[in-house]
Every structure is written in structure tokens, then in C-alpha cells.
Amino acid sequence: MNRSSESRSHENVSAESSEINRMAVKPPPFGRNKPNLWFFQLEEQFDVASITQDQTKYNIVLSALDEHILYFIEDILSNPPTENKYIALKSALLSRLTDSKEAKLKKLLGDCRPSDLLRQMKSLAGSKISEEFLKTLWYKRLPQQVQAILSVSKDTNEFS
């Protein structure tokens, strides 16, 4: 076997190995609510499959996203960077799909009634936090208008 055919043989094995590694990665369904957790899982699969090439990671991410998510990165798809495509794609998805702390708080409070909020807090706390302390926290988290209304009431237990 001459050097030229050895080189081609080595390239074929390397390409096959890369393709096998790529096939070993099975991205979980994209979690729009927690894209950072999705990337964490995916990057663990990259490590296990020994995938380090930027283009391969970029291709795997794109193949895992549905059209609703692709809409958020259409500008990157139409004009991808020449280097660090995967990093650019990941950064764009995280920044565009991750809520700010204020938005998360608003989502938590949402349009729920004060009684629903208290019920959720009790459920999350379990028996580890006293009910009185929980009600104090709950009361302080309510909008001022609601606090004013409740301060007139002698018993806030009617909301629990």
C-alpha cells in the first residue's frame, strides 16, 4: 500500500468515526422553557461521543430544532459566522429564549390569585417552613394594592 492510499484510507476511517460519533448523539426534545438545561444535556452527549468540531455541533443543534425555534435564529441561519458557529448559535438561543429574572418573577406570579400563590408556596415548602413564616413571605410578595386590601381583613386564612 502506498502513502497516497494509506492517507485516503486514514481519511475514510476518520470520516466514518466522526459520522459514527455524530450518530451516537441523540438530542433530547428541545426545552424552550429551559434551553440551558437542553444544552447541558447535549454537551454531555458531545463529550461522550468525543465530538469537538464546531461545524458538527452546529449541524446537530440545527437538526434538533423545530421551525418555531428556528424562527428565533433566522438571522444567524441566513448569515452564519465563519468561525464559532456553534457558540454563536447557542448564545443566540439562550439570550433570546431565556427570560430575565424580572420576567421569571412575573411569570411565577402571573395572573394567579393570591390564594393560588399561597397554595403554591405551601406546596413547595412542604413541612419544612412554619405556616406563619410562609404567610409573612407570601404577604410581602403581594402587590401593594393587595396588601392594603388584606390588611383591612382580620383573618388572611380565608385565602388559604
Side-chain angles (χ1 to χ4, degrees), residues 10-144:
H10 179 66
E11 287 173 8
N12 288 342
V13 168
S14 180
E16 284 178 23
S17 175
S18 177
E19 187 60 27
I20 289 170
N21 286 348
R22 185 171 185 243
M23 298 301 282
V25 174
K26 300 200 184 320
F30 185 78
R32 182 169 180 197
N33 293 334
K34 301 246 181 191
N36 55 330
L37 293 179
W38 185 81
F39 275 106
F40 178 79
Q41 286 181 305
L42 186 62
E43 288 173 355
E44 290 300 315
Q45 289 189 36
F46 289 159
D47 284 346
V48 169
S50 299
I51 294 174
T52 57
Q53 291 186 346
D54 181 65
Q55 184 67 46
T56 304
K57 291 178 178 182
Y58 178 84
N59 292 342
I60 290 171
V61 169
L62 284 182
S63 68
L65 301 175
D66 67 31
E67 67 182 79
H68 301 294
I69 302 302
L70 292 174
Y71 168 78
F72 288 96
I73 52 168
E74 190 173 357
D75 59 324
I76 292 174
L77 300 177
S78 61
N79 188 20
T82 55
E83 294 182 7
N84 298 318
K85 288 181 179 182
Y86 169 73
I87 300 286
L89 188 63
K90 178 182 175 182
S91 296
L93 283 167
L94 289 175
S95 68
R96 296 172 188 181
L97 296 176
T98 303
D99 291 335
S100 66
K101 288 183 181 182
E102 293 80 18
K104 286 179 184 177
L105 182 59
K106 186 174 181 181
K107 199 182 278 186
L108 173 66
L109 295 174
D111 292 330
C112 72
R113 299 180 317 199
S115 59
D116 293 336
L117 177 60
L118 181 58
R119 221 177 333 284
Q120 288 175 3
M121 290 174 73
K122 283 180 181 179
S123 173
L124 290 171
S127 61
K128 296 180 179 164
I129 299 176
S130 76
E131 190 164 335
E132 287 306 311
F133 180 69
L134 199 55
K135 283 184 180 182
T136 302
L137 288 176
W138 166 76
Y139 183 79
K140 289 180 180 179
R141 299 295 187 275
L142 295 172
Q144 286 186 341

